[in-house]
Amino acid sequence: MEAIMMHQQAAAARADFTQEPLEVVRLRIGQFDSFARLIPQADGTQALLEALFLSAVARSTTGANLGTAPFGVIDVSPLPNRLDVHLAGPEAFRPVLDLLPTRDSDKTIHGVAGLLARPVRTAVHVAFDHRQASGELRLWTEGADLTELLAEHAAATTARGRRVMWSTSSPLPKPKLVHGRRAVRALGRQKPSPVTPPVRTSQFLASALLRRPGIWTRLEGHLDLRVSSSEVEHGVDWLLDRVVTQGAAVHDDRIACVLGDAIAGPDLIWDRAMHACGPDECRMRFVPREAGHGWNGVLTVRTVRATSEHLPARRPRPFTVLAESLVENKVSPLRPAPNGAMPSLDGHDRNSGLVVQLESVGYSLSKTSCWKIALHVGAGWAQHGWRVLVVHDVSEASAQPAAYPPPTWPERPRPTAPTEDAPWQRLRLTSGPGELHVHVGSHSWEALEKLIPRARSDFDWIILADSISHSYRYMGPTMLDGITDRFVVAVEDPGYATTIAVASTGGQQATHVGRHVDLTPAESATAWRERNLRMLASDIPVAGLILVPGSKHSQPPVEFRDAADARLADFGTPVLTRLTSELIFEEHTVLDNVSPRAREDLLATSAHLAHLLAMHAVGRSAPSLKARA
């Protein structure tokens, strides 16, 4: 039943943004293994096609005839290398006609060279020549035949003395000759590269907007939305002009929430430093969390009120991904939103969140593995009803290598996304009162000292999973004093050895053929600790160990293992749990589309781990589910 509820939630969350029919979305979501990203990001060629479409809409003058449909789009069906676009009407197709290439008598190409438009029944499919498999726009509308408009445009082009270049594929270049011999075929007959217009610098940002037209029609007082773009020093920026009814507020916090969402939204960070809001106009700037080629642009949303009375606009509608509901024609959260003081649901004071620092020692586990362990444990706790925050450190390395010679444009890097000041994000949808969030960024000690007190008031558990970049990691991790409540070590477990090989000597020479000496559980535990925890400082109060079986894992008898575990506990490093699930090194959690057995195993393990960590509480009560019932 829980799996069905999560499946339905994921389908509803995607449909809110794409506006696809819910029945179609349910079929597609059923094929997903993970519900982390409900709307796939476009591949490179596909993103360029979508950016060209959005730039054509920005240049067109037909927007006044498109009604309330953002970008002239009613709904979309996104795939990594394809986008099915349901247009609001024939007028919404005309900007695409301006993209199609033509050639005049001077052999000058107008439009986008290499673009093809193919009529299919009443729809038109647009793609780059010889790259149809890498990207395609499938455009259609109800009550009109777009192929007729395409034919009319071709006739008008011919009448102006230009040649239509979008209807037939051009031959591939002939193989080159090298020293009188035919070159290698794979090198000679290469596919031509797509054109490189300026919009390519922020093609992924444009694609992310086009794939989510439902964002704007679900906001309060929506009347109209216009898009424009501009070339700047760092790339191409996008501007969305919103018009709302006279009774609606120009500032809407929900814009920052849905644009900042990473499950179904575009994952943009609100730059509060550039926020300018007055009684009649509000400007909000958003910087993509992603960096690198294709993301070199920022989005500005400008909202103004209509100058005159209009027909009643659509009422605000809830977003599933924000856990909202519609009550008396007003949108309200099903439960209090994060990033603010939240009272308990039963009216009693809540306990502050328990902070668990999860670290690996040396190189026994990679940093990615620590992050995945926190992801699985946090997902299990969220499914049990707790509110969980995972703090994950990601270094801000250079997004793209420096080019030589340096390009003349873009002249400078894009503004940096303010990740440290950004709110936490929802990692997965849950079927109950629990929540799973993440805060990703390059965290310094000072940044954590500001973040953690704020998180304690909102969450029951805060997991610091590689949350800070440790210098000289080979010397072992350090405990974040004053921040951490529990220090937990994750270890790739080789298992307890029951014997040890001892070389024997014969005469004056030693031989490697020796004998095996049996070990007691205490001796085996001592050897295990020396091998796996020798780089762990002795002055760190370790709450316990999370063991992940390694590739060469020995399986001693249960009695032997339990006795060795007891000896480890005597050393101050008790074994909290062993993660044996098949999912532990994947990113498919109990909140995703996984097998019932794997879900039950991880839920039981996470509940047992929470109980043990709560038992170590001193002078405080542990997080309780009763306050969330």
Side-chain angles (χ1 to χ4, degrees), residues 40-88:
Q41 178 177 305
D43 294 337
T45 302
Q46 179 64 38
L48 179 57
L49 278 173
E50 296 172 21
L52 289 170
F53 175 90
L54 199 62
S55 65
V57 173
R59 293 192 302 268
S60 70
T61 58
T62 61
N65 301 320
L66 301 180
T68 59
F71 321 127
V73 174
I74 293 179
D75 62 69
V76 297
S77 295
L79 293 171
N81 58 352
R82 195 181 90 194
L83 186 68
D84 297 349
V85 183
H86 178 192
L87 298 175

Side-chain angles (χ1 to χ4, degrees), residues 338-462:
N339 271 12
M342 187 188 80
S344 64
L345 299 182
D346 60 359
H348 296 88
D349 293 336
R350 285 177 35 138
N351 299 318
S352 59
L354 202 65
V355 180
V356 178
Q357 182 180 348
L358 179 62
E359 296 284 355
S360 59
V361 179
Y363 299 96
S364 63
L365 278 177
S366 67
K367 296 186 71 176
T368 302
S369 298
C370 255
W371 151 247
K372 289 181 180 178
I373 291 173
L375 178 65
H376 284 290
V377 171
W381 289 347
Q383 188 62 17
H384 281 299
W386 282 297
R387 296 190 62 180
V388 184
L389 174 67
V390 180
V391 182
H392 184 41
D393 184 79
V394 175
S395 61
E396 296 179 351
S398 177
Q400 56 191 94
Y404 185 82
T408 58
W409 183 83
E411 300 175 7
R412 61 179 59 187
R414 188 206 68 193
T416 303
T419 54
E420 289 189 4
D421 298 328
W424 32 76
Q425 298 174 296
R426 193 182 301 271
L427 262 175
R428 296 292 194 280
L429 299 175
T430 57
S431 58
E435 293 184 6
L436 178 62
H437 290 76
V438 65
H439 193 280
V440 179
S442 181
H443 301 98
S444 62
W445 194 305
E446 292 75 14
L448 287 178
E449 287 180 329
K450 296 179 181 178
L451 175 67
I452 296 305
R454 186 161 53 100
R456 284 185 187 273
S457 64
D458 285 1
F459 294 96
D460 304 303
W461 297 95
I462 299 101

Side-chain angles (χ1 to χ4, degrees), residues 427-625:
L427 262 175
R428 296 292 194 280
L429 299 175
T430 57
S431 58
E435 293 184 6
L436 178 62
H437 290 76
V438 65
H439 193 280
V440 179
S442 181
H443 301 98
S444 62
W445 194 305
E446 292 75 14
L448 287 178
E449 287 180 329
K450 296 179 181 178
L451 175 67
I452 296 305
R454 186 161 53 100
R456 284 185 187 273
S457 64
D458 285 1
F459 294 96
D460 304 303
W461 297 95
I462 299 101
I463 306 177
L464 306 180
D466 302 313
S467 56
I468 190 168
S469 180
H470 297 290
S471 300
Y472 307 105
R473 187 175 180 83
Y474 61 88
M475 298 179 63
T478 57
M479 184 174 181
L480 302 177
D481 293 325
I483 297 177
T484 300
D485 298 320
R486 304 286 177 270
F487 188 92
V488 178
V489 181
V491 182
E492 184 175 356
D493 179 24
Y496 294 119
T498 56
T499 61
I500 185 172
V502 179
S504 61
T505 59
Q508 296 180 353
Q509 293 182 346
T511 177
H512 294 290
V513 179
R515 56 193 179 87
H516 287 79
V517 178
D518 292 335
L519 296 177
T520 65
E523 293 170 339
S524 181
T526 303
W528 186 97
R529 193 180 191 281
E530 174 62 22
R531 175 181 177 182
N532 296 282
L533 301 180
R534 63 181 182 274
M535 297 169 64
L536 183 66
S538 59
D539 59 345
I540 296 180
V542 179
L545 309 176
I546 296 179
L547 304 186
V548 181
S551 57
K552 298 180 180 180
H553 181 73
S554 59
Q555 292 282 1
V558 175
E559 296 80 4
F560 188 97
R561 186 198 67 186
D562 291 344
D565 285 354
R567 185 56 177 167
L568 279 182
D570 293 339
F571 288 134
T573 51
V575 176
L576 298 175
T577 187
R578 286 178 170 86
L579 297 178
T580 59
S581 173
E582 60 192 34
L583 302 176
I584 198 60
F585 286 111
E586 301 179 5
E587 294 194 8
H588 305 156
T589 70
V590 296
L591 301 176
D592 292 311
N593 194 8
V594 298
S595 65
R597 180 178 179 180
R599 178 178 286 108
E600 292 173 3
D601 289 346
L602 275 174
L603 284 176
T605 300
S606 61
H608 178 65
L609 179 61
H611 174 71
L612 293 178
L613 290 175
M615 289 177 59
H616 288 78
V618 179
R620 60 182 297 174
S621 57
S624 172
L625 287 175

Side-chain angles (χ1 to χ4, degrees), residues 24-365:
V24 175
V25 181
R26 285 172 178 166
L27 293 176
R28 293 184 174 175
I29 289 294
Q31 302 173 358
F32 284 25
D33 293 328
S34 172
F35 297 147
R37 295 290 291 179
L38 302 179
I39 300 177
Q41 178 177 305
D43 294 337
T45 302
Q46 179 64 38
L48 179 57
L49 278 173
E50 296 172 21
L52 289 170
F53 175 90
L54 199 62
S55 65
V57 173
R59 293 192 302 268
S60 70
T61 58
T62 61
N65 301 320
L66 301 180
T68 59
F71 321 127
V73 174
I74 293 179
D75 62 69
V76 297
S77 295
L79 293 171
N81 58 352
R82 195 181 90 194
L83 186 68
D84 297 349
V85 183
H86 178 192
L87 298 175
E91 291 298 324
F93 180 64
R94 297 197 181 277
V96 179
L97 299 177
D98 297 334
L99 295 174
L100 302 182
T102 62
R103 189 172 70 183
D104 58 21
S105 57
D106 297 332
K107 295 186 179 182
T108 301
I109 301 296
H110 302 270
V112 180
L115 208 59
L116 297 181
R118 180 167 54 96
V120 180
R121 298 186 180 89
T122 61
V124 173
H125 297 181
V126 180
F128 282 109
D129 195 7
H130 304 295
R131 292 181 177 270
Q132 289 87 340
S134 300
E136 187 178 45
L137 290 177
R138 296 188 176 184
L139 310 171
W140 65 283
T141 187
E142 292 186 48
D145 189 345
L146 297 185
T147 63
E148 294 181 358
L149 294 180
L150 184 64
E152 293 174 1
H153 181 62
T157 299
T158 304
R160 293 199 306 269
R162 292 185 179 181
R163 180 184 173 184
V164 172
M165 302 291 292
W166 70 76
S167 58
T168 56
S169 177
S170 61
L172 288 170
K174 293 182 179 180
K176 299 178 181 179
L177 296 179
V178 179
H179 301 298
R181 295 185 178 183
R182 190 174 295 274
V184 179
R185 183 178 182 85
L187 296 178
R189 286 187 175 271
Q190 291 180 340
K191 297 178 182 179
S193 300
V195 295
T196 55
V199 74
R200 177 188 280 272
T201 60
S202 62
Q203 61 186 22
F204 292 115
L205 175 57
S207 170
L209 297 175
L210 181 60
R211 292 182 167 223
R212 296 163 175 85
I215 290 177
W216 314 104
T217 57
R218 304 184 80 84
L219 298 175
E220 182 179 5
H222 171 74
L223 282 179
D224 192 15
L225 184 77
R226 305 291 182 88
V227 59
S228 59
S229 62
S230 59
E231 295 183 25
V232 291
E233 293 179 334
H234 57 258
V236 174
D237 286 350
W238 297 88
L239 171 65
L240 296 181
D241 280 302
R242 295 179 62 232
V243 180
V244 297
T245 56
Q246 291 187 343
V250 292
H251 178 83
D252 193 338
D253 286 327
R254 299 175 75 211
I255 296 177
C257 292
V258 293
L259 290 180
D261 177 70
I263 298 178
D267 195 9
L268 309 180
I269 298 178
W270 182 19
D271 189 356
R272 294 175 179 268
M274 302 299 292
H275 182 212
C277 201
D280 299 317
E281 179 180 328
C282 182
R283 282 178 172 265
M284 305 173 72
R285 190 174 88 156
F286 298 88
V287 183
R289 185 184 298 274
E290 294 285 344
H293 183 71
W295 291 101
N296 293 328
V298 299
L299 170 68
T300 301
V301 180
R302 180 173 60 195
T303 304
V304 297
R305 287 194 183 91
T307 56
S308 60
E309 291 291 343
H310 289 72
L311 294 175
R314 296 180 182 179
R315 290 182 299 220
R317 290 177 289 170
F319 286 98
T320 304
V321 77
L322 299 184
E324 294 177 335
S325 63
L326 191 63
V327 180
E328 297 181 355
N329 296 329
K330 292 185 178 181
V331 172
S332 60
L334 290 174
R335 47 190 178 268
N339 271 12
M342 187 188 80
S344 64
L345 299 182
D346 60 359
H348 296 88
D349 293 336
R350 285 177 35 138
N351 299 318
S352 59
L354 202 65
V355 180
V356 178
Q357 182 180 348
L358 179 62
E359 296 284 355
S360 59
V361 179
Y363 299 96
S364 63
L365 278 177

